[in-house]
Amino acid sequence: MVLPRFECLAPKTLEEVSQLLVALGSGAILMAGGTDIIPPMKDRAIKPDYIIDIKGIPGLDKIEYDEKEGLKIGSLVKLFDIQTSELIHKVNPSIAQGAKYIASTQVRHKATMTGNICAAVPSCDTGPILVAQNAKLLIHGAEKNRELLVKDLFTSVKKTCLEHDEIVTAIVIPPLAENEYAATINFTVRKAMDLAIVGTGAWLQMDGEVVKDARIALGAVAATPIRAYSAEKALIGRKLTDEVLDEVSIAAMNDSHPISDVRASAEYRKDMVRVFVKRVIKKALQGYEGDHI
Amino acid sequence: MNRNDDRTYFRKPEDYRIVSGKKSNYVHVDAYEKVTGHGKYAGDFQEPGMLTCKFKFSSHPRAKILSIDTSKAEALPGVFVVLTGKDFAKGIEVSHVGARKKPDKEILVKQYVRHIGDQVCAVCAIDEETALKAVDLIDIEYEVLPGLFDAMEALDGNSVDVQCYGKEPHNVGPCCHQQGSIVGADIDDEFARAAYVQVNDFTTHHICHCPMETHAAFVTYNSADELWTVRGSCTSSFGVQNTLANTFGKSVTNFHVIRPYIGGAFGGKGGCPNIVIIACECARRTGRPVRFVLTREEEFITQQGRHPFNIHSETAFDSDGRIIAKKAVQILDGGAYGEASVASVNLSALWASFPYKIDTIDILSKRMFTNKSYNGAMRGFTCCQVAFSQDLMMEEAAEHFNMDSLEFRKISALETGYKAPSGTVITSCAMKQTIDDAAAYMNWPECKKELRPSEGIGFSSTAFVSGTANPLLPTPNQCQTNATVRVDFHGVVSLYSNCHDNGQGADTVSTAIVAEELGLDMSDVKLIQSSTFNAGYDSGSYGSRVTFLGGNAVRRGAVEVKKKLLECIGAKWGVEPHLLELIDHKVICRDMGKEDLEISWKDAVYHYMTCHGGDELIGVGSYYHRTNTAQYQGKPSNYAPSYVFSTSACKLTVDEETGVVDIHDFFFAHDCGQALNPRAVEGQLEGSVYSGIGYTLYENLIEVEGRQMNNNFHDYRIPTALDIPPIHTKYDYPPEPEGPFGAKECGEGTTAPIAPAVANAIRMATGIRINTLPLDPEHVWRMLREQKGSKV
Amino acid sequence: MKKVISFVLNSDPVDILIEEHKALVDVLRDDLNLTGIKKGCEAGECGACTVILDSRPINSCLTLAIEVHGHEVTTIEGIAKNGKLSPLQQQFIDKWAFQCGYCTPGMIMSATALLDRNPHPTEIEIREAIEGNLCRCTGYQKIVEAVMAAAAEMDWEATDEQK
């Protein structure tokens, strides 16, 4: 296979990375797992002059949990390790499920969750669950560091608001309290190696039988992963009956703006938003106990 | 020893050691090479100085080429050859006795491109990177013309010209019109007297073979001897040799075609693809080894797929539910070129009657041309599509008659001895038993009571040919396959047979057949094959012919060895040779009172050679299936030497909100006569079910105005290991007398019953009537909404 | 640009001059003559090119050759030890778990990586381990049977990293 001719650099610190990004300009791209940059290079969609391989930077490959801060997943942690992490299964299994949706076992042994969301495809598999749980990114820049909610990362198809000198160092997902629940369901035709026709993520905060707060996120039904705000509004403060769920799911359907493409029609996607928003809310309350992830 | 020779020395079933059908003592002949990665496929060969080729494709579905400027490409350092249509005088000959004499596909297009992906130029360069750069530097000026994308639109004869075969209306390719009655009836009269006429219209979709190995070729050229050595991912080496000889105006002796390992074909590698021809031309011009491998995306757009069909059928039943007559018009979307198109219309007309006794028929199959990538033979070769229509029709008719659908099928089921209006003569036939076995597995009809909501069970029954009459090239006595068995003075047996193994196990079966006849272990038989110069003719892997015809030739070669040996030993002992047999590496005697006589295989062979002045012990075998060319003119002829029968059963649940079909269990009963190698037979059946599930629920090649939108594995959904249900198989049925050790085909016709079984089960689960494929979630969802109303 | 990479390949140290923009699959197949590794799609969608990188099964078409510098790579050619087939390879033969054989090297690599990590997988875990390996011939059933049989037969020792 033919890839464009580029030079490969392997910095050892975050500072070096930012310096290189500034110095080399738009002809330089970052590479962690590489699984989202090699195919577009082969297809001649991108032609970088430099690839900055960040795998040599220490300290970015840890999964940590703190009861106050939550789950911190370093940018170099491989999706397979997220999928199979006992810690994640215990504290926030929907994150493990979200990771598992991506591609195949081989890809997950190389690719990263950070890479998945920074690629910013409309159907990015981990987008919905990270947006629904208000996950944030820790970002290192040449001049300053900052934090950014995942939901604010995406600006358009395959575009993020990251500055050129910035590199994401970790994803932080807030802890789930006793009365908080989260789930993700990505609807695919094949059970592996398939992009979502519709992606869903739900986070609920319950007060007895009443939904005190809720966030519902959708993937593959707009230019970026989105929040279904009118669905959330229809849900908050109400009891979860079948009628309420129907109302919420229709509201979510109206929040989405899918297109028709080779994978599915807009009409089908819209109806699947309705179906899967109901299912993901139920799944959040049901939980993942005993599930094989 | 040929088909007609005496069979006295054929091994008796009570003496079987290897082909017992119960325990498999088979040794997989190429196992080591495949599990270690040492086996080489065409694209694995490389030699120093090797060059690489790339195509320049047409980006228009229909256009006239006004000019081609290759000068910049030729000037690029590292580019050795740039070829265009003018470098080849002839088109690609399809080596097929019934095929058109004038090929309709050029090696490289000279004037009119007919589909997006049509190959206009080829570049041969030092590496892939340089070749791609050179392709970009070629300038082609086109006059873009309106294209034709709908086969039904082409029927009125007024559409733009894709292909014109002279006499016929434009865009109509080969047709086959099978008409006739074995009871001397007029078809209109039969329809008039019918108690019930079932009318249906069906459509099926476009899919591709997608073998894991794309088409590839590796060629070297010896200028001193003008000898090309060709290794291609091709399943008919002699067909390739023949095409190359004609293309280059040389003799077949100039082309040594060697078959490497082949990474799947499913009917799509039967011809001589232009990558082979181009590699030969470049090797000749440069004197260097040349390799030409297609990428996956290129494989989709340049290689053949499975014909989409439009079928209109009318089936007449008497008051007992027995079929008395059938009319059908079947329109095939052939794409831009011919490629095995004669067989596609002939076979699809045949399937329109299968697997039932239909005494009066009027079946018309017409293959149309459109400006899309073309279609050809694909595992099941039009049976998947026609069986879909036939079986769903029967299911609906059974409902009309308020009969159990399995009992309904049995009323008209084919039986041994039936001679159809098409000329088909049924020999062994266990169709009814396969139906009973499927019913028993599913506990039918009691299981209907235990079905949960949206759960359904579906059955389907189909039949297929086991072998064909077509030897591909014009051969003596229409013989398709020659084998030679040679024994040296050590007693080592060499089997020379070019039966092509695409993975279906032909190599193993051939070796086992010889070992069985000669009373040896498989490890005592060395298979020499895969070259057009080292072993005899075999027409290739197509038409489900390898086990039946190839196996029969191999058997006869071994039996001739046995006959010669036993005659010699018989003379030595004063015993009639037919009272001797080869068992467990010995010649044993069954003459009363002389049972003590025995001699080891090695000593017997040594004795034979001594008696013959030192000549080796050699046996020659061949096999044919004779018909005249009537079958290619739609006139009655017995297409195959035998036929196979299958019934499949599937249990599934439909998620009526999403249209997702979840198959819990799949059962497959296949009458392939005597299963020679049980594990290989199971593997073929499981693979066929897999293939059918892909066809029905997952795969769909989407084209818009002739452009393939999902020519990659990202968007063309090939089922993964997580998408296939448990598969249970049964294949223990009475032997076919004419098959080698009673065997018939297993692995091609078996793809056909999957789609209808799934469709019938979906119907039971949801009540929706299905007349179209595919049945992926969105399509099922749409049908549910249209027929049962929206859920919102 | 060209660089020398050093890595361990099938237990042997290797130093090789490569061009930075080359994919691992091409360097292994064309420069190191390891043609057991197959190409089915060059896009990470079929698994025919699967190799093991430091105990992880990966698509070598989604890997730059330069990425393996300092690491350990195992290919199908390195599975048999001293000419003796691994228990998994033998089970592939005994269970008739291949037909055309083209996907087989990739399947064996994915399954080997699985058994090294998880010596007693369930059927669903096996199917997930090979979910990224497409096969057009077998329908996967006998492949799953072969992996289960190999797991049952051998006392695989999971490596420390996976414990």
Side-chain angles (χ1 to χ4, degrees):
Chain A
M1 53 195 268
V2 176
L3 300 175
R5 285 177 176 260
F6 50 77
E7 204 182 314
C8 219
L9 304 159
K12 292 285 182 280
T13 67
L14 286 171
E15 289 66 39
E16 251 187 274
V17 171
S18 292
Q19 281 160 18
L20 283 170
L21 286 168
V22 168
L24 299 173
S26 61
I29 62 173
L30 296 175
M31 176 172 83
T35 57
D36 264 337
I37 59 169
I38 291 177
M41 282 201 287
K42 191 196 85 165
D43 294 337
R44 309 207 248 184
I46 57 172
K47 289 187 195 142
D49 300 312
Y50 300 93
I51 289 185
I52 301 170
D53 185 345
I54 61 169
K55 291 199 282 291
I57 298 170
L60 299 182
D61 57 354
K62 300 210 185 339
I63 302 173
E64 294 162 301
Y65 182 72
D66 173 285
E67 276 178 22
K68 235 177 65 174
E69 293 300 311
L71 188 57
K72 182 176 172 194
I73 301 175
S75 287
L76 289 180
V77 177
K78 300 189 196 335
L79 284 162
F80 186 79
D81 296 344
I82 298 169
Q83 171 198 337
T84 56
S85 157
E86 270 178 43
L87 172 62
I88 296 180
H89 282 213
K90 185 160 144 257
V91 303
N92 203 332
S94 64
I95 299 294
Q97 177 64 72
K100 193 184 184 189
Y101 279 125
I102 289 159
S104 66
T105 299
Q106 290 98 316
V107 169
R108 298 196 296 279
H109 269 289
K110 197 145 185 291
T112 62
M113 189 172 265
T114 300
N116 181 243
I117 51 164
C118 289
V121 297
S123 59
C124 78
D125 285 304
T126 57
I129 191 57
L130 292 173
V131 167
Q133 295 202 53
N134 259 359
K136 65 181 179 189
L137 303 174
L138 304 183
I139 299 169
H140 172 93
E143 303 294 319
K144 64 175 185 357
N145 296 343
R146 63 176 174 130
E147 293 182 1
L148 179 70
L149 282 178
V150 172
K151 88 161 171 48
D152 297 325
L153 172 70
F154 313 105
T155 56
S156 176
V157 175
K158 296 186 190 172
K159 292 205 176 358
T160 71
C161 66
L162 292 174
E163 297 295 339
H164 187 65
D165 64 298
E166 291 183 315
I167 167 174
V168 175
T169 58
I171 302 172
V172 178
I173 303 121
L176 289 169
E178 277 282 318
N179 63 339
E180 290 173 354
Y181 308 87
T184 179
I185 302 178
N186 286 354
F187 174 48
T188 58
V189 177
R190 290 190 297 176
K191 295 196 177 80
M193 293 209 285
D194 221 1
L195 284 186
I197 286 181
V198 156
T200 62
W203 172 88
L204 303 174
Q205 190 185 73
M206 303 298 288
D207 182 5
E209 284 180 17
V210 171
V211 177
K212 190 160 165 228
D213 195 6
R215 289 191 289 269
I216 296 172
L218 304 172
V221 293
T224 69
I226 56 169
R227 289 268 295 275
Y229 290 111
S230 31
E232 291 169 9
K233 213 163 135 201
L235 186 54
I236 293 169
R238 313 206 31 217
K239 269 193 192 172
L240 272 173
T241 63
D242 282 344
E243 291 71 32
V244 167
L245 276 177
D246 277 341
E247 211 186 295
V248 167
S249 64
I250 291 170
M253 197 170 83
N254 295 328
D255 281 332
S256 67
H257 331 285
I259 56 165
S260 293
D261 64 14
V262 72
R263 313 186 63 73
S265 70
E267 198 192 340
Y268 184 60
R269 284 189 152 114
K270 268 212 178 248
D271 198 43
M272 291 306 104
V273 167
R274 183 186 63 79
V275 170
F276 283 97
V277 161
K278 270 195 287 190
R279 294 186 187 188
V280 77
I281 291 171
K282 286 184 183 166
K283 181 65 184 167
L285 290 173
Q286 180 194 351
Y288 287 87
E289 182 103 27
D291 280 8
H292 165 74
I293 297 181
Chain B
M1 185 169 284
N2 63 48
R3 179 177 182 162
N4 305 317
D5 283 330
D6 177 72
R7 298 180 187 196
T8 308
Y9 294 94
F10 275 29
R11 194 174 216 57
K12 314 275 180 303
E14 55 268 25
D15 289 330
Y16 288 174
R17 291 284 188 278
I18 300 175
V19 297
S20 64
K22 301 293 173 227
K23 251 177 30 174
S24 194
N25 302 327
Y26 278 71
V27 169
H28 204 311
V29 162
D30 44 15
Y32 178 81
E33 283 77 11
K34 287 182 175 170
V35 300
T36 58
H38 289 133
K40 282 198 177 331
Y41 301 74
D44 294 333
F45 288 90
Q46 57 171 346
E47 283 180 19
M50 183 178 80
L51 303 175
T52 302
C53 294
K54 281 283 176 197
F55 280 123
K56 175 106 184 158
F57 299 106
S58 162
S59 45
H60 305 289
R62 185 165 168 265
K64 183 176 176 185
I65 296 172
L66 298 174
S67 67
I68 305 177
D69 182 358
T70 59
S71 54
K72 285 184 284 199
E74 287 172 56
L76 185 69
V79 170
F80 282 71
V81 183
V82 180
L83 297 172
T84 65
K86 62 174 171 41
D87 290 304
F88 299 97
K90 302 180 178 185
I92 304 181
E93 294 198 8
V94 176
S95 297
H96 191 299
V97 158
R100 283 166 43 77
K101 290 286 172 272
K102 184 175 180 312
D104 68 3
K105 180 165 164 61
E106 299 163 292
I107 296 163
L108 291 168
V109 178
K110 292 186 176 66
Q111 200 175 34
Y112 287 99
V113 291
R114 292 184 165 87
H115 70 95
I116 294 174
D118 219 345
Q119 301 95 65
V120 184
C121 307
V123 170
C124 182
I126 193 79
D127 57 29
E128 199 182 348
E129 196 175 351
T130 309
L132 281 176
K133 275 202 193 111
V135 163
D136 284 343
L137 292 174
I138 297 173
D139 290 322
I140 305 179
E141 210 190 322
Y142 291 100
E143 181 193 335
V144 179
L145 303 166
L148 171 66
F149 307 113
D150 185 344
M152 300 305 280
E153 233 179 80
L155 281 173
D156 65 7
N158 292 326
S159 48
V160 297
D161 245 353
V162 178
Q163 292 277 9
C164 183
Y165 275 7
K167 283 187 289 199
E168 298 96 344
H170 296 191
N171 303 321
V172 180
C175 297
C176 176
H177 199 172
Q178 270 184 17
Q179 296 169 287
S181 174
I182 59 167
V183 292
D186 175 86
I187 193 151
D188 294 328
D189 292 344
E190 293 297 85
F191 270 79
R193 76 169 179 91
Y196 174 66
V197 174
Q198 174 82 34
V199 179
N200 288 97
D201 288 281
F202 296 96
T203 59
T204 68
H205 63 308
H206 199 190
I207 70 162
C208 287
H209 307 59
C210 299
M212 289 317 298
E213 182 211 13
T214 60
H215 280 70
F218 178 79
V219 177
T220 57
Y221 179 67
N222 167 346
S223 57
D225 299 324
E226 274 195 303
L227 179 70
W228 282 265
T229 303
V230 177
R231 287 178 170 85
S233 190
C234 305
T235 56
S236 178
S237 301
F238 290 91
V240 168
Q241 185 191 44
N242 187 66
T243 297
L244 291 174
N246 287 338
T247 302
F248 290 95
K250 301 267 179 223
S251 153
V252 291
T253 57
N254 295 97
F255 295 91
H256 188 189
V257 180
I258 301 174
R259 182 184 59 79
Y261 285 94
I262 297 184
F266 316 111
K269 292 180 176 173
C272 180
N274 58 356
I275 58 169
V276 173
I277 301 171
I278 289 162
C280 285
E281 177 61 9
C282 293
R284 182 189 73 81
R285 290 196 189 195
T286 63
R288 293 168 72 139
V290 175
R291 191 168 76 185
F292 201 162
V293 181
L294 293 181
T295 67
R296 179 57 57 187
E297 292 80 8
E298 292 167 352
E299 177 82 12
F300 271 101
I301 62 175
T302 63
Q303 300 306 316
Q304 57 183 291
R306 173 173 279 161
H307 293 87
F309 266 67
N310 262 277
I311 298 174
H312 174 83
S313 71
E314 296 177 23
T315 315
F317 296 83
D318 68 15
S319 53
D320 295 325
R322 193 178 69 88
I323 306 176
I324 56 174
K326 180 172 172 179
K327 289 190 241 186
V329 176
Q330 308 183 135
I331 307 299
L332 292 69
D333 185 342
Y337 295 108
E339 186 61 43
S341 50
V342 168
S344 68
V345 291
N346 281 289
L347 281 171
S348 55
L350 190 65
W351 312 137
S353 299
F354 275 24
Y356 300 106
K357 294 185 283 194
I358 307 182
D359 295 342
T360 307
I361 58 170
D362 185 334
I363 312 289
L364 173 64
S365 277
K366 262 174 134 163
R367 186 178 185 276
M368 310 305 291
F369 289 106
T370 54
N371 289 113
K372 297 182 284 189
S373 58
Y374 67 101
N375 297 305
M378 181 176 173
R379 192 173 186 179
F381 207 174
T382 73
C383 192
C384 295
Q385 303 94 308
V386 178
F388 176 71
S389 71
Q390 185 84 305
D391 204 84
L392 262 61
M393 178 281 291
M394 285 297 277
E395 188 83 5
E396 233 182 279
E399 203 180 274
H400 167 85
F401 279 91
N402 202 23
M403 287 181 69
D404 176 284
S405 66
L406 295 184
E407 292 309 311
F408 188 73
R409 285 182 177 82
K410 281 201 234 175
I411 294 169
S412 306
L414 280 170
E415 288 171 323
T416 299
Y418 183 72
K419 293 191 169 84
S422 62
T424 304
V425 178
I426 303 298
T427 53
S428 66
C429 173
M431 182 176 162
K432 289 184 188 165
Q433 290 97 304
T434 66
I435 293 175
D436 289 338
D437 286 333
Y441 180 84
M442 285 294 177
N443 191 28
W444 178 270
E446 286 73 26
C447 55
K448 278 197 277 193
K449 299 185 207 125
E450 292 154 25
L451 288 176
R452 287 166 297 184
S454 302
E455 195 174 44
I457 293 176
F459 298 88
S460 78
S461 290
T462 59
F464 202 76
V465 293
S466 179
T468 79
N470 183 2
L472 228 59
L473 300 180
T475 57
N477 207 40
Q478 226 168 317
C479 168
Q480 295 180 27
T481 176
N482 297 102
T484 310
V485 177
R486 191 193 117 241
V487 191
D488 74 6
F489 76 97
H490 295 294
V492 174
V493 178
S494 300
L495 163 61
Y496 298 80
S497 162
N498 263 317
C499 289
H500 288 73
D501 192 333
N502 304 339
Q504 81 279 49
D507 290 358
T508 298
V509 161
S510 301
T511 309
I513 286 172
V514 172
E516 179 68 81
E517 280 294 354
L518 300 182
L520 304 172
D521 294 328
M522 283 179 67
S523 53
D524 298 317
V525 179
K526 308 302 173 190
L527 180 60
I528 288 119
Q529 52 151 225
S530 76
S531 152
T532 49
F533 293 159
N534 69 3
Y537 181 70
D538 182 271
S539 49
S541 289
Y542 62 94
S544 295
R545 55 167 296 285
V546 174
T547 298
F548 197 97
L549 285 110
N552 266 330
V554 161
R555 184 184 198 180
R556 282 159 175 76
V559 171
E560 181 159 286
V561 160
K562 184 194 304 188
K563 177 169 182 278
K564 287 178 174 178
L565 187 64
L566 296 185
E567 281 171 352
C568 181
I569 302 301
K572 174 178 151 83
W573 290 342
V575 175
E576 287 298 310
H578 69 272
L579 295 173
L580 306 177
E581 187 42 298
L582 292 171
I583 302 272
D584 295 337
H585 299 82
K586 293 190 289 272
V587 181
I588 57 142
C589 181
R590 291 188 167 137
D591 194 3
M592 281 229 305
K594 293 184 180 169
E595 290 90 348
D596 287 345
L597 287 171
E598 74 173 39
I599 181 172
S600 75
W601 163 260
K602 282 188 185 161
D603 289 344
V605 170
Y606 201 98
H607 175 75
Y608 174 94
M609 286 177 66
T610 308
C611 295
H612 289 81
D615 281 353
E616 283 187 331
L617 170 55
I618 295 187
V620 160
S622 68
Y623 199 79
Y624 66 87
H625 173 59
R626 284 285 288 279
T627 68
N628 50 32
T629 53
Q631 67 177 251
Y632 303 117
Q633 289 140 24
K635 299 196 175 56
S637 76
N638 188 22
Y639 202 99
S642 68
Y643 299 87
V644 293
F645 303 88
S646 320
T647 298
S648 65
C650 124
K651 188 174 186 185
L652 54 79
T653 304
V654 180
D655 179 335
E656 295 201 40
E657 284 193 304
T658 61
V660 169
V661 172
D662 185 15
I663 303 179
H664 310 309
D665 201 1
F666 209 101
F667 174 82
F668 201 111
H670 183 60
D671 168 25
C672 56
Q674 169 78 53
L676 293 186
N677 180 354
R679 273 175 297 177
V681 168
E682 278 165 18
Q684 283 293 299
L685 296 182
E686 290 161 9
S688 301
V689 172
Y690 159 87
S691 174
I693 287 175
Y695 178 52
T696 311
L697 298 178
Y698 292 99
E699 298 174 46
N700 188 10
L701 187 60
I702 296 168
E703 288 153 308
V704 174
E705 305 253 301
R707 179 173 304 281
Q708 289 185 7
M709 306 305 289
N710 58 341
N711 60 319
N712 53 64
F713 281 172
H714 195 242
D715 295 324
Y716 181 92
R717 297 182 177 108
I718 292 191
T720 69
L722 291 170
D723 298 311
I724 304 296
I727 301 167
H728 299 93
T729 56
K730 179 166 197 289
Y731 44 88
D732 225 332
Y733 293 102
E736 155 62 45
E738 192 59 20
F741 298 101
K744 295 191 282 189
E745 90 86 29
C746 169
E748 191 185 356
T750 44
T751 51
I754 319 304
V758 171
N760 287 332
I762 293 174
R763 182 142 176 266
M764 180 179 292
T766 63
I768 59 173
R769 282 178 195 279
I770 293 172
N771 62 357
T772 183
L773 286 173
L775 300 173
D776 62 290
E778 183 167 344
H779 279 93
V780 173
W781 171 84
R782 246 173 237 292
M783 286 186 242
L784 284 163
R785 281 165 83 93
E786 281 159 18
Q787 297 184 39
K788 290 174 85 165
S790 175
K791 288 264 178 179
V792 180
Chain C
M1 229 173 81
K2 294 193 180 162
K3 282 200 175 130
V4 173
I5 57 170
S6 304
F7 63 107
V8 175
L9 175 62
N10 295 329
S11 307
D12 292 331
V14 165
D15 298 311
I16 181 170
L17 184 69
I18 56 140
E19 288 181 294
E20 287 174 289
H21 70 298
K22 286 286 183 154
L24 179 64
V25 65
D26 289 317
V27 169
L28 290 174
R29 279 177 53 84
D30 294 337
D31 301 330
L32 291 164
N33 215 21
L34 295 169
T35 57
I37 303 152
K38 303 300 179 202
K39 285 190 186 185
C41 70
E42 294 181 314
E45 300 276 350
C46 77
C49 68
T50 305
V51 300
I52 295 175
L53 176 63
D54 296 334
S55 85
R56 294 180 185 271
I58 57 153
N59 295 312
S60 56
C61 72
L62 290 184
T63 307
L64 298 176
I66 202 164
E67 289 182 77
V68 307
H69 175 68
H71 292 269
E72 197 173 327
V73 174
T74 309
T75 73
I76 184 67
E77 290 87 349
I79 295 297
K81 297 277 184 265
N82 296 323
K84 188 164 184 288
L85 296 177
S86 76
L88 180 65
Q89 285 174 306
Q90 189 58 51
Q91 284 295 351
F92 261 68
I93 295 176
D94 296 344
K95 293 279 180 266
W96 218 268
F98 58 88
Q99 290 178 29
C100 83
Y102 200 77
C103 78
T104 305
M107 284 287 179
I108 289 176
M109 298 315 290
S110 287
T112 300
L114 168 71
L115 292 176
D116 284 345
R117 181 179 67 83
N118 175 2
H120 304 293
T122 61
E123 182 176 335
I124 188 77
E125 285 170 335
I126 294 172
R127 287 183 183 265
E128 285 173 352
I130 60 170
E131 69 187 15
N133 292 84
L134 295 180
C135 173
R136 290 299 265 169
C137 297
T138 65
Y140 305 104
Q141 192 141 301
K142 291 189 180 332
I143 294 172
V144 172
E145 287 169 18
V147 180
M148 299 224 63
E153 172 198 337
M154 275 299 292
D155 191 24
W156 290 88
E157 287 176 22
T159 59
D160 280 321
E161 288 136 313
Q162 280 77 39
K163 282 208 180 102

